[in-house]
Amino acid sequence: MRIKYTRLFIFTFVFINMFVFYYTWKYLLTTNIVNSFASPTYKVALTSNSTYKRPKIADKMQFANKHIKSTITVVFREFYHFDNDLKSSIQSILNIIPSIKIFLIYDDIPYPPLDIFNSSSIKNKVRLFTLDQRLGKGLVDMNPVNFIKTPYTLFMPDSVRISSRSTLQKILREINAVETKNQNNSKISSFQQVTKREKRLFIIPFSSNNKHDPVCNSINVDLPNWTIEYSAENNTKNNRCDMFLQKHALILDTSILKEIPNAMSSPFPEFFYIRAKNEKVRLYVLNTTFSEGKSLFTAYHTKQEKKDIRKQQFKDLYKILQIKKVIERTYQTNQNALKNLKRKQQQNSKGKKKFDEPEIKFNLTSTLLTTITYFGCEKNTKSCIGQVFNRKPFYTYINRHTPPCCIDKLKTVFHHVIEEIENVGIRYWLDNIALKDAIDSNHLSLNSYEIDISFNYYDLQRSNLLKKAQVKPYSDEKGFYWIKATDGNYFKVQYSKVNQIGVNLLPYNIESNNVATANGFFGWKSHEFALEYLHPMSTVLFLGRSVACPNNVVEYLIAKKIKKEP
C-alpha cells in the first residue's frame, strides 16, 4: 500500500514539472518569434535607408491640420459691423490651418458690407449665415448648427490672434484630459456614462484679461417671480460659475449645441449661457489662452452705439424669457485698497503672510454693488397684469406670481396716494386684501395686483385732485392718473394714463345708525360694517410706513368676509 502512494506522488510531481516546463518553453518561444520580427526592423531603421523613413515635418503639419479640421469648426458670432477686426482674426486662423471650416453668423445682413467681402481669399473660405426669418429660407437653413459636422464647435470673439496650431492642439488635449479624469472618477457603469453624460462647456480666456476684475457670474433664474439674478464670482473652480465675464472663446461638443434651443440668438454669449444653465451644462476654464488683436470701440460714438445695441438686445432677451426683474451683484475694484495690498505683499514677501490667491485679492480690494432693473410697467407701457377674470390674473394659471415690476409700481402709487390724502386731512383706512396682507406680513402678497383704501365720503371735497377727477380724468404733476371708475362711484389712481395698475379709493357713508355703507360701489368689497371698528382708529405697518386701519382688525376682516373665522 505504501508503494502505491509513493508511485502516485512521483507521478504527480513529474506531471507538475512537465506542465511548468511546457508553458515556460511556450512563453520563451513566443517572445523570440516576436523579437525576430520586431528587432530587424528596428535595426534596419537605424542602419539603412531602405526600409524606414522618418516622417517629414510637412507630413506632420499636414496630419495635424487634417485632425484639427475634422475636429473643430470655428464660429464668429459676436461682432459689430461698424467696428470689427474680423478680417485679421480670420486670416490669423487660416494662416495656420488653411482648410479649417469657419462660419460667420449675424442677425441681419450687415451694411455697409464687411471688409472680408473684399478679400476673395477669405470670402471663399468662410460660410455666411443670417438668423433672420425671411421668406424663402427653409427650416434647416434657419439653424446654422445643422451645417456643423465636426465633433466640436469653437466660438471665437472678434479681434483674436492664434500664434500656432499647437494652441488648438493643447485645447484638444486639455478637453480630453478633463473627460478622461471625469470618466476615471465616475463610479457608475459604462452604460450609465453614456445615458447620463455630463454636458461640458470649455472656456478659453485671453491673456490680456484683468485678474482683479470678476471673472464669473452665477445665474439664478426664478421663473415664478419673473426674476433672474447674476452674482459675481472670482473663483472658477467651484460649481457657481455659469457665465464667464471677461473676454474669452468657448468650445463645446456640437451635439450639446444642437440640444440648446436658439443657442446663437443675441445677445451672444449671454443668451447662450442662460440656456446652458437651464440645460445643466457645466463650465470648465482651460489653462490655454488666446491673444488679443486690434483694440476696438476706442471712439466715443462706436462705444455708445455698441452700448445702445446691447441694451436693446437684453431688453428683447428678457421679453423672450419673460423676465421682469434683473438683479446684478457685482464688485467695484478699490484702487487704493489694491495699492495697499501690493505694498503689504512686498513687505511680507519673506514672511508667512502672503496674498497669492486671486479670490483673496478680489475680496480685499473690491466692494459689492447690487443693482435692480425692472423691465415692464413703465409710464408709457400697459400694465403687465392685463385683464383680471374672476379675481385671478392670467399669470396665476401658469403658476406665476404678480410680476415684480408691477409690485414696484403699485408700491409707488400707494405711497403717492397716502401722502396726498394725509396732507389734505382725509380720514382713510387700509382695507380688504391689502389690510389682510399688512397684518400677515407687513408687505404685499406675491399675488397682489391692487390696493384698496377706503375713506370717509364727506371728506372728498378736501382733495382738489379728487374733485377734479370727479369731473374728468386728471394727471397730476408727477404723471399719476386720477380717474372716477365707470363701474361704480369710486376712484382709482393709476400709475399713468396708459399703465392702469394702481390704488382704489372706496368712499363710505358714515351714518348715524352706527353702520358704514358703501357709497355707490358694489360687489364683494362693499360689505357694510359697524362703525365701532373706526372709533378709535388703529395703525399698522405696511410697505415701510405706518398707515391707518380699523381696530380689532381680525374681527373687522371676518365681518367683511375677507378672512375666514379661525
Side-chain angles (χ1 to χ4, degrees), residues 483-492 505-507 519-522:
I483 185 173
K484 186 177 180 180
T486 57
D487 58 341
N489 186 29
Y490 68 95
F491 298 88
K492 187 172 183 179
L505 294 173
L506 310 176
N519 188 299
F521 65 95
F522 310 96

Side-chain angles (χ1 to χ4, degrees), residues 253-309:
D253 195 316
T254 305
S255 62
I256 299 175
L257 192 64
K258 294 179 179 179
E259 297 175 6
I260 300 177
N262 301 322
M264 298 186 186
S265 297
S266 297
F268 190 88
E270 289 81 4
F271 197 139
F272 175 77
Y273 278 126
I274 296 173
R275 292 287 193 185
K277 168 72 173 182
N278 187 61
E279 296 293 329
K280 298 181 180 179
V281 178
R282 185 176 176 183
L283 268 66
Y284 290 86
V285 180
L286 303 181
N287 296 322
T288 307
T289 59
F290 285 145
S291 300
E292 193 165 7
K294 184 181 73 174
S295 297
L296 301 176
F297 311 108
T298 55
Y300 174 79
H301 68 279
T302 57
K303 191 180 298 183
Q304 188 63 36
E305 189 172 357
K306 176 188 175 183
K307 183 178 179 181
D308 294 340
I309 292 175

Side-chain angles (χ1 to χ4, degrees), residues 235-250:
N235 187 358
T236 60
K237 297 179 181 179
N238 55 29
N239 293 330
R240 298 182 64 185
C241 184
D242 301 318
M243 176 190 295
F244 199 83
L245 297 178
Q246 301 192 38
K247 188 171 183 179
H248 65 285
L250 53 91

